[in-house]
Amino acid sequence: MTRRIRIGIDTGGTFTDVVAFDEDTGELVTTKTPSTPGNPADGFLAGIDKVLGLLGAGGPDIDAVSHGTTVATNQLLEGKVDRLGFVTNTGHEAMLEIARQSVPDGYGNSYFWVKPDRIVPRDLVKGVEGRLDVNGEEVRPFDEDGARAVARWFRAHGVDTLGVCFLHAYANPVHEELMRKVLREEHPDAVVSLSSEVLREYREYERAMTTLVDAAVKPRLSAYVNNIKARLTAYDDRTIPFYVMKSNGGVLSADEVVHQPITTVLSGPAAGALGAALIAKVAGFDRVLTSDGGGTSTDVSVVIDGEPTLTTEGTVGAFPSKIPMIDVVTVGAGGGSIAWLSPEGTLKVGPQSAGADPGPLCYAKGGTDVTITDAHVVLGRIPPHLLGGEIPLDVDAARNGVDALAGKLGLSPEACATGILEISAWNQANALRQVTVKRGLDVRDFTLTTFGGSGSLLLCRLMDVLGIPTVLVPPNPGNVSAFGLLTVDVKNDYVQTHVALAEALDPAAVASAYDQLTARASEALSTEGFAPAQHQYARTADLRYFGQAFEVRVPVPDGPVDASVLDEVAGRFHTEHRTLYGYDFSGDPTQQVEWVNLRVSGIGPIRRPEIQRHGGGGFEAHAPERLRTSATEAAAVAVVREASRPVCFDADQGYVATPVVQRSELGPGQVVTGPVIIEEFGSTVPVHPGFAVRVDEFLNLIVTRSES
């Protein structure tokens, strides 16, 4: 008899994390394998092979595979965007140059700010004649001859990836569809993204940027996903269901995601936020910050009452993407982030990353730059090996690199290494401030949940910098993103701009628009294999006060849409506006409420793994059905364990003999105080002097300041 095993795989910049869930027994098993940046699919398949071997299972036992990928995330973070072409209306070719005329951090920064390069240089932007009005009515006809000339120009100049964004295409896609028809005839090899398919929402600059980001990541992501799909057939004669994590907190089949790659730009970070949200909620924490530290980046988000906050104003690196996504701020501060000297001679860290290949100096794979991981190794905060001894580290190579960098700065090696980590900690702290302080939230009211292979290495410093009282570190923190992939539903989002003042809003028109969006969501869920009885829908609307430039999203009740429902939505808007900004105009009849966008999310539910309580006496003995490391990996940890080692927590105080504790030996209720190093198969937690760690009944580490 075959088993029903669902596998979650999160491919990071350095490691590929795997969690397998047996739906019949409830057992979860985790493992890791090195990522393969040259062909990430190799690491993906190696992870499946490894976890199936640990389970004693085979290809026929695989029920489904869910995947969180950082292919698009890392491409955008590192600015590795290939040549793009942009097609828009004649007379609007400077749309990207004009942008929003905004300066980051306010106009006080305008003297120092240098405008970044556009995603498409001005010479690769071409205009085509034709115009629609705000209602989608044709004002001037589409110029097919001009469109053909533009298509031939791009083909002649070898520009094979194109984004198309015409004015008011959200109201009527006819001109964009005509442009695609011309491109297929004149430039058949071109990869094309249309704004009317990527983001059917007004604001031409944001729509154009989102469309261009979609086009930019489409070739690489499509090739990657299709490669994995093809190679999965080697496990079984049947087609194994393969899902990819989306930025909105849902998954989508690989067949569909290649047509909307923009939805995966925060694929891996979204999975981590959802996994951490579930773990923290079960542990009793309702206001949580998540910090997912990997090899290339650190991703942070806010979770309130078990639900990560959503936004359509997100960015990845320098690129805004106006699609529904979990509100994640990503910074180039991962284990592989490179330490370098600016032209002025000051120390910088990231966003460039050494990744997994060649990786940090200590990987001994040809790396030439000092990284955050090298600094941790030199200071003794991580062991001289990774994955329980599977990957030995070259400590001498890391030390030589840090020594050379320290010499250029005129610092001791310890001061240089701690300086690298201090910059990284402040980069992470600033990201956490962006999702809290800049949104009117007090960071001190939250519990920080750290995970990812490098996510917990600087938690004590983050507590000091931000004043956070408590940090939660889940079991197997390096695999939380992969675990999160097993907790998410299939989800698709649909939007339609519908601008109207509340007092002039026609309930029948709103109901009709929602019915159309719901029908599209229903069709997609049926395509994904969900019976109509399983379909779930969530309706929301974007509202604002007339004259405002940005909207607030509020839920719309289920059921028929009538005047009372519209009034209830307006009331929710007033309440949410007060929560976000500290005021509202609910009592001022001169301030009108305006509806802007209508949204529907179609949801296909899945079965989630359960997180169980435990008694005491150790991790493996009391967690046979819990998210756990395999016995083989636990044995590997046992082989390389050490009682203590010299660790530097403060450059001025130098190295101190520090106990090393295996997390597998810590049971519920046990307490350890710093300085101490807590190690497990996939991660390490350095506990600084002045901090204490308690193990709760779910085997989470709860870090607080010690009473002494």
Side-chain angles (χ1 to χ4, degrees):
M1 292 180 62
T2 58
R3 299 157 70 179
R4 294 188 303 157
I5 296 173
R6 282 197 290 125
I7 300 174
I9 302 183
D10 177 56
T11 299
T14 306
F15 291 107
T16 295
D17 307 323
V18 189
V19 175
F21 173 46
D22 190 321
E23 291 193 333
D24 296 319
T25 66
E27 181 182 13
L28 286 103
V29 172
T30 76
T31 191
K32 280 177 171 285
T33 187
S35 293
T36 51
N39 185 354
D42 291 339
F44 180 98
L45 275 299
I48 291 182
D49 290 337
K50 190 173 182 180
V51 81
L52 288 178
L54 295 172
L55 284 166
D61 298 313
I62 301 176
D63 195 51
V65 177
S66 295
H67 182 37
T69 173
T70 56
V71 168
T73 313
N74 291 342
Q75 180 183 352
L76 297 175
L77 271 180
E78 298 179 21
K80 296 178 179 178
V81 175
D82 297 328
R83 292 181 79 207
L84 289 175
F86 180 38
V87 183
T88 188
N89 298 86
T90 299
H92 286 259
E93 294 89 347
M95 182 194 304
L96 301 180
E97 299 298 328
I98 297 171
R100 283 295 171 190
Q101 297 184 329
S102 59
V103 176
D105 299 321
Y107 286 98
N109 188 40
S110 58
Y111 180 81
F112 303 97
W113 182 67
V114 177
K115 188 174 185 178
D117 293 335
R118 304 291 93 184
I119 190 172
V120 179
R122 184 65 181 79
D123 63 302
L124 296 183
V125 180
K126 298 296 176 182
V128 174
E129 186 59 62
R131 182 65 63 85
L132 303 173
D133 68 12
V134 68
N135 296 313
E137 300 295 331
E138 189 171 81
V139 177
R140 291 197 296 274
F142 179 75
D143 179 8
E144 184 172 328
D145 291 338
R148 292 189 182 279
V150 165
R152 292 168 185 160
W153 188 92
F154 280 122
R155 184 185 64 189
H157 287 79
V159 181
D160 300 327
T161 306
L162 303 171
V164 180
C165 180
F166 290 147
L167 294 181
H168 308 305
Y170 59 86
N172 185 351
V174 60
H175 283 186
E176 288 192 350
E177 291 171 351
L178 288 171
M179 187 69 221
R180 177 167 58 188
K181 179 176 179 292
V182 168
L183 286 168
R184 284 175 175 169
E185 294 171 358
E186 300 289 347
H187 193 1
D189 295 331
V191 174
V192 181
S193 291
L194 303 185
S195 75
S196 54
E197 294 180 347
V198 174
L199 183 68
R200 201 152 184 172
E201 186 176 333
Y202 89 144
R203 290 196 176 99
E204 68 276 7
Y205 170 68
E206 286 80 3
R207 184 158 46 91
M209 281 298 302
T210 304
T211 303
L212 289 166
V213 170
D214 182 81
V217 301
K218 187 175 284 184
R220 190 175 301 185
L221 186 78
S222 298
Y224 171 65
V225 170
N226 288 327
N227 183 17
I228 290 177
K229 267 184 59 184
R231 294 175 66 174
L232 278 174
T233 60
Y235 287 99
D236 201 6
D237 293 336
R238 65 193 170 93
T239 299
I240 296 174
F242 177 38
Y243 298 97
V244 178
M245 184 75 197
K246 296 172 63 180
S247 307
N248 67 354
V251 291
L252 190 64
S253 68
D255 290 333
E256 292 299 320
V257 83
V258 295
H259 301 303
Q260 39 183 299
I262 183 67
T263 62
T264 71
V265 293
L266 288 178
S267 174
L274 287 163
L278 177 61
I279 292 169
K281 183 178 181 180
V282 171
F285 297 95
D286 59 354
R287 296 173 69 84
V288 176
L289 302 176
T290 71
S291 180
D292 179 4
T296 303
S297 62
T298 294
D299 313 302
V300 303
S301 65
V302 174
V303 176
I304 298 177
D305 295 329
E307 295 293 334
T309 55
L310 292 173
T311 183
T312 55
E313 307 295 334
T315 61
V316 181
F319 306 106
S321 298
K322 195 174 172 59
I323 59 167
M325 62 176 69
I326 290 177
D327 193 0
V328 174
V329 172
T330 300
V331 291
S337 295
I338 294 170
W340 53 283
L341 296 181
S342 71
E344 297 80 20
T346 57
L347 180 63
K348 305 284 186 180
V349 179
Q352 296 82 12
S353 173
D357 189 11
L361 293 171
C362 59
Y363 279 22
K365 293 169 62 178
T368 57
D369 298 301
V370 175
T371 67
I372 291 174
T373 297
D374 293 314
H376 281 296
V377 169
V378 167
L379 296 174
R381 299 189 189 182
I382 62 175
H385 52 76
L386 298 177
L387 303 191
E390 283 188 24
I391 302 177
L393 300 180
D394 189 341
V395 180
D396 290 337
R399 184 171 289 113
N400 291 338
V402 171
D403 286 350
L405 184 61
K408 296 177 182 178
L409 291 165
L411 299 173
S412 69
E414 292 78 19
C416 179
T418 54
I420 292 170
L421 300 186
E422 185 73 359
I423 293 171
S424 177
W426 279 89
N427 287 341
Q428 294 178 39
N430 288 336
L432 287 163
R433 286 192 177 102
Q434 286 186 51
V435 296
T436 53
V437 177
K438 287 193 174 182
R439 288 157 174 73
L441 302 172
D442 190 334
V443 67
R444 296 167 296 183
D445 294 337
F446 289 80
T447 294
L448 176 64
T449 300
T450 59
F451 55 98
S454 66
S456 302
L457 290 170
L458 295 172
L459 67 83
C460 291
R461 193 70 192 104
L462 289 173
M463 292 176 73
D464 284 337
V465 171
L466 295 170
I468 292 174
T470 307
V471 174
L472 181 152
V473 184
N476 294 295
N479 292 72
V480 168
S481 291
F483 171 70
L485 289 163
L486 301 178
T487 71
V488 298
D489 301 318
V490 172
K491 185 179 181 184
N492 237 331
D493 297 307
Y494 301 91
V495 60
Q496 180 65 57
T497 292
H498 189 93
V499 181
L501 292 174
E503 62 183 24
L505 203 61
D506 179 6
V510 175
S512 175
Y514 272 126
D515 287 344
Q516 293 177 34
L517 293 172
T518 301
R520 293 173 60 192
S522 177
E523 181 181 358
L525 289 173
S526 297
T527 301
E528 296 285 350
F530 290 92
Q534 296 175 288
H535 295 187
Q536 299 176 6
Y537 307 102
R539 302 188 302 196
T540 56
D542 299 343
L543 278 67
R544 65 189 179 192
Y545 291 116
F546 181 73
Q548 286 184 325
F550 297 97
E551 300 82 46
V552 175
R553 184 176 304 175
V554 293
V556 175
D558 296 332
V561 177
D562 54 23
S564 64
V565 168
L566 301 185
D567 290 341
E568 182 178 345
V569 173
R572 292 179 176 182
F573 163 70
H574 292 305
T575 301
E576 186 64 19
H577 195 281
R578 172 169 286 278
T579 299
L580 288 173
Y581 303 112
Y583 70 95
D584 68 77
F585 294 118
S586 57
D588 186 349
T590 65
Q591 297 290 338
Q592 298 174 294
V593 173
E594 185 175 41
W595 290 55
V596 178
N597 297 309
L598 309 179
R599 301 178 185 273
V600 169
S601 296
I603 302 167
I606 56 92
R607 180 193 167 192
R608 291 173 173 78
E610 294 183 3
I611 298 176
Q612 300 178 2
R613 287 181 169 84
H614 301 280
F619 188 84
E620 295 296 333
H622 292 270
E625 297 179 356
R626 176 65 169 92
L627 180 64
R628 61 179 176 83
T629 305
S630 71
T632 303
E633 292 165 353
V637 173
V639 171
V640 297
R641 68 175 54 186
E642 52 189 341
S644 67
R645 67 169 173 265
V647 179
C648 179
F649 294 101
D650 186 314
D652 293 333
Q653 297 180 6
Y655 292 86
V656 296
T658 304
V660 178
V661 176
Q662 300 303 315
R663 185 166 180 175
S664 58
E665 297 176 351
L666 297 175
Q670 288 188 259
V671 176
V672 294
T673 57
V676 64
I677 303 293
I678 300 176
E679 293 182 357
E680 58 185 302
F681 176 77
S683 67
T684 301
V685 181
V687 183
H688 292 224
F691 292 84
V693 179
R694 174 180 58 85
V695 183
D696 73 3
E697 59 187 336
F698 301 102
L699 304 175
N700 301 301
L701 301 181
I702 309 298
V703 184
T704 57
R705 290 174 180 80
S706 60
E707 295 180 1
S708 59

PDB file of all heavy atoms in Angstrom, residues 645-659:
ATOM      1  N   ARG A 645      33.859  25.605  23.894  1.00  0.00           N
ATOM      2  CA  ARG A 645      34.861  26.142  22.975  1.00  0.00           C
ATOM      3  C   ARG A 645      35.022  27.628  23.246  1.00  0.00           C
ATOM      4  O   ARG A 645      34.112  28.265  23.816  1.00  0.00           O
ATOM      5  CB  ARG A 645      34.487  25.892  21.515  1.00  0.00           C
ATOM      6  CG  ARG A 645      33.265  26.628  21.014  1.00  0.00           C
ATOM      7  CD  ARG A 645      33.159  26.523  19.484  1.00  0.00           C
ATOM      8  NE  ARG A 645      31.901  27.077  18.993  1.00  0.00           N
ATOM      9  CZ  ARG A 645      30.813  26.367  18.758  1.00  0.00           C
ATOM     10  NH1 ARG A 645      30.822  25.060  18.986  1.00  0.00           N
ATOM     11  NH2 ARG A 645      29.717  26.952  18.311  1.00  0.00           N
ATOM     12  N   PRO A 646      36.136  28.231  22.847  1.00  0.00           N
ATOM     13  CA  PRO A 646      36.327  29.662  23.043  1.00  0.00           C
ATOM     14  C   PRO A 646      35.394  30.448  22.118  1.00  0.00           C
ATOM     15  O   PRO A 646      35.337  30.192  20.921  1.00  0.00           O
ATOM     16  CB  PRO A 646      37.800  29.879  22.672  1.00  0.00           C
ATOM     17  CG  PRO A 646      38.422  28.531  22.677  1.00  0.00           C
ATOM     18  CD  PRO A 646      37.343  27.571  22.317  1.00  0.00           C
ATOM     19  N   VAL A 647      34.671  31.389  22.689  1.00  0.00           N
ATOM     20  CA  VAL A 647      33.732  32.208  21.925  1.00  0.00           C
ATOM     21  C   VAL A 647      33.954  33.673  22.296  1.00  0.00           C
ATOM     22  O   VAL A 647      34.149  34.006  23.470  1.00  0.00           O
ATOM     23  CB  VAL A 647      32.265  31.815  22.214  1.00  0.00           C
ATOM     24  CG1 VAL A 647      31.309  32.702  21.417  1.00  0.00           C
ATOM     25  CG2 VAL A 647      32.026  30.350  21.882  1.00  0.00           C
ATOM     26  N   CYS A 648      33.921  34.539  21.284  1.00  0.00           N
ATOM     27  CA  CYS A 648      34.058  35.977  21.520  1.00  0.00           C
ATOM     28  C   CYS A 648      32.688  36.643  21.362  1.00  0.00           C
ATOM     29  O   CYS A 648      32.121  36.648  20.273  1.00  0.00           O
ATOM     30  CB  CYS A 648      35.057  36.581  20.545  1.00  0.00           C
ATOM     31  SG  CYS A 648      35.271  38.367  20.739  1.00  0.00           S
ATOM     32  N   PHE A 649      32.162  37.167  22.466  1.00  0.00           N
ATOM     33  CA  PHE A 649      30.906  37.919  22.427  1.00  0.00           C
ATOM     34  C   PHE A 649      31.159  39.423  22.397  1.00  0.00           C
ATOM     35  O   PHE A 649      30.311  40.184  21.957  1.00  0.00           O
ATOM     36  CB  PHE A 649      30.046  37.574  23.648  1.00  0.00           C
ATOM     37  CG  PHE A 649      29.565  36.152  23.673  1.00  0.00           C
ATOM     38  CD1 PHE A 649      30.194  35.210  24.482  1.00  0.00           C
ATOM     39  CD2 PHE A 649      28.506  35.744  22.882  1.00  0.00           C
ATOM     40  CE1 PHE A 649      29.754  33.895  24.512  1.00  0.00           C
ATOM     41  CE2 PHE A 649      28.056  34.434  22.903  1.00  0.00           C
ATOM     42  CZ  PHE A 649      28.681  33.505  23.721  1.00  0.00           C
ATOM     43  N   ASP A 650      32.327  39.828  22.877  1.00  0.00           N
ATOM     44  CA  ASP A 650      32.689  41.239  22.956  1.00  0.00           C
ATOM     45  C   ASP A 650      34.158  41.363  22.584  1.00  0.00           C
ATOM     46  O   ASP A 650      35.016  40.709  23.194  1.00  0.00           O
ATOM     47  CB  ASP A 650      32.447  41.770  24.369  1.00  0.00           C
ATOM     48  CG  ASP A 650      32.665  43.276  24.486  1.00  0.00           C
ATOM     49  OD1 ASP A 650      33.678  43.765  23.973  1.00  0.00           O
ATOM     50  OD2 ASP A 650      31.812  43.952  25.099  1.00  0.00           O
ATOM     51  N   ALA A 651      34.469  42.190  21.575  1.00  0.00           N
ATOM     52  CA  ALA A 651      35.845  42.296  21.087  1.00  0.00           C
ATOM     53  C   ALA A 651      36.795  42.766  22.178  1.00  0.00           C
ATOM     54  O   ALA A 651      37.958  42.345  22.220  1.00  0.00           O
ATOM     55  CB  ALA A 651      35.899  43.248  19.894  1.00  0.00           C
ATOM     56  N   ASP A 652      36.323  43.631  23.075  1.00  0.00           N
ATOM     57  CA  ASP A 652      37.194  44.146  24.126  1.00  0.00           C
ATOM     58  C   ASP A 652      37.532  43.079  25.165  1.00  0.00           C
ATOM     59  O   ASP A 652      38.607  43.107  25.765  1.00  0.00           O
ATOM     60  CB  ASP A 652      36.541  45.343  24.815  1.00  0.00           C
ATOM     61  CG  ASP A 652      36.410  46.536  23.881  1.00  0.00           C
ATOM     62  OD1 ASP A 652      37.237  46.645  22.946  1.00  0.00           O
ATOM     63  OD2 ASP A 652      35.485  47.350  24.079  1.00  0.00           O
ATOM     64  N   GLN A 653      36.602  42.142  25.377  1.00  0.00           N
ATOM     65  CA  GLN A 653      36.822  41.103  26.386  1.00  0.00           C
ATOM     66  C   GLN A 653      37.467  39.850  25.818  1.00  0.00           C
ATOM     67  O   GLN A 653      37.912  38.986  26.567  1.00  0.00           O
ATOM     68  CB  GLN A 653      35.498  40.747  27.060  1.00  0.00           C
ATOM     69  CG  GLN A 653      34.872  41.912  27.823  1.00  0.00           C
ATOM     70  CD  GLN A 653      33.566  41.534  28.490  1.00  0.00           C
ATOM     71  OE1 GLN A 653      33.174  40.377  28.488  1.00  0.00           O
ATOM     72  NE2 GLN A 653      32.887  42.533  29.057  1.00  0.00           N
ATOM     73  N   GLY A 654      37.501  39.733  24.491  1.00  0.00           N
ATOM     74  CA  GLY A 654      38.154  38.591  23.871  1.00  0.00           C
ATOM     75  C   GLY A 654      37.354  37.308  24.011  1.00  0.00           C
ATOM     76  O   GLY A 654      36.142  37.310  24.222  1.00  0.00           O
ATOM     77  N   TYR A 655      38.048  36.190  23.910  1.00  0.00           N
ATOM     78  CA  TYR A 655      37.408  34.876  23.918  1.00  0.00           C
ATOM     79  C   TYR A 655      37.226  34.363  25.341  1.00  0.00           C
ATOM     80  O   TYR A 655      38.101  34.541  26.193  1.00  0.00           O
ATOM     81  CB  TYR A 655      38.243  33.872  23.120  1.00  0.00           C
ATOM     82  CG  TYR A 655      38.267  34.156  21.636  1.00  0.00           C
ATOM     83  CD1 TYR A 655      39.189  35.048  21.091  1.00  0.00           C
ATOM     84  CD2 TYR A 655      37.362  33.548  20.777  1.00  0.00           C
ATOM     85  CE1 TYR A 655      39.210  35.326  19.733  1.00  0.00           C
ATOM     86  CE2 TYR A 655      37.375  33.814  19.419  1.00  0.00           C
ATOM     87  CZ  TYR A 655      38.296  34.703  18.906  1.00  0.00           C
ATOM     88  OH  TYR A 655      38.310  34.977  17.563  1.00  0.00           O
ATOM     89  N   VAL A 656      36.074  33.741  25.578  1.00  0.00           N
ATOM     90  CA  VAL A 656      35.805  33.119  26.878  1.00  0.00           C
ATOM     91  C   VAL A 656      35.362  31.680  26.638  1.00  0.00           C
ATOM     92  O   VAL A 656      34.691  31.374  25.645  1.00  0.00           O
ATOM     93  CB  VAL A 656      34.710  33.887  27.661  1.00  0.00           C
ATOM     94  CG1 VAL A 656      35.180  35.285  28.007  1.00  0.00           C
ATOM     95  CG2 VAL A 656      33.417  33.959  26.873  1.00  0.00           C
ATOM     96  N   ALA A 657      35.758  30.787  27.524  1.00  0.00           N
ATOM     97  CA  ALA A 657      35.327  29.392  27.429  1.00  0.00           C
ATOM     98  C   ALA A 657      33.812  29.329  27.625  1.00  0.00           C
ATOM     99  O   ALA A 657      33.292  29.769  28.650  1.00  0.00           O
ATOM    100  CB  ALA A 657      36.043  28.552  28.478  1.00  0.00           C
ATOM    101  N   THR A 658      33.105  28.793  26.627  1.00  0.00           N
ATOM    102  CA  THR A 658      31.643  28.825  26.620  1.00  0.00           C
ATOM    103  C   THR A 658      31.090  27.416  26.469  1.00  0.00           C
ATOM    104  O   THR A 658      31.485  26.693  25.545  1.00  0.00           O
ATOM    105  CB  THR A 658      31.130  29.708  25.463  1.00  0.00           C
ATOM    106  OG1 THR A 658      31.704  31.019  25.594  1.00  0.00           O
ATOM    107  CG2 THR A 658      29.617  29.811  25.480  1.00  0.00           C
ATOM    108  N   PRO A 659      30.162  27.003  27.354  1.00  0.00           N
ATOM    109  CA  PRO A 659      29.556  25.670  27.221  1.00  0.00           C
ATOM    110  C   PRO A 659      28.800  25.533  25.905  1.00  0.00           C
ATOM    111  O   PRO A 659      28.205  26.488  25.411  1.00  0.00           O
ATOM    112  CB  PRO A 659      28.601  25.596  28.419  1.00  0.00           C
ATOM    113  CG  PRO A 659      29.050  26.668  29.350  1.00  0.00           C
ATOM    114  CD  PRO A 659      29.658  27.736  28.520  1.00  0.00           C
TER     115      PRO A 659
END
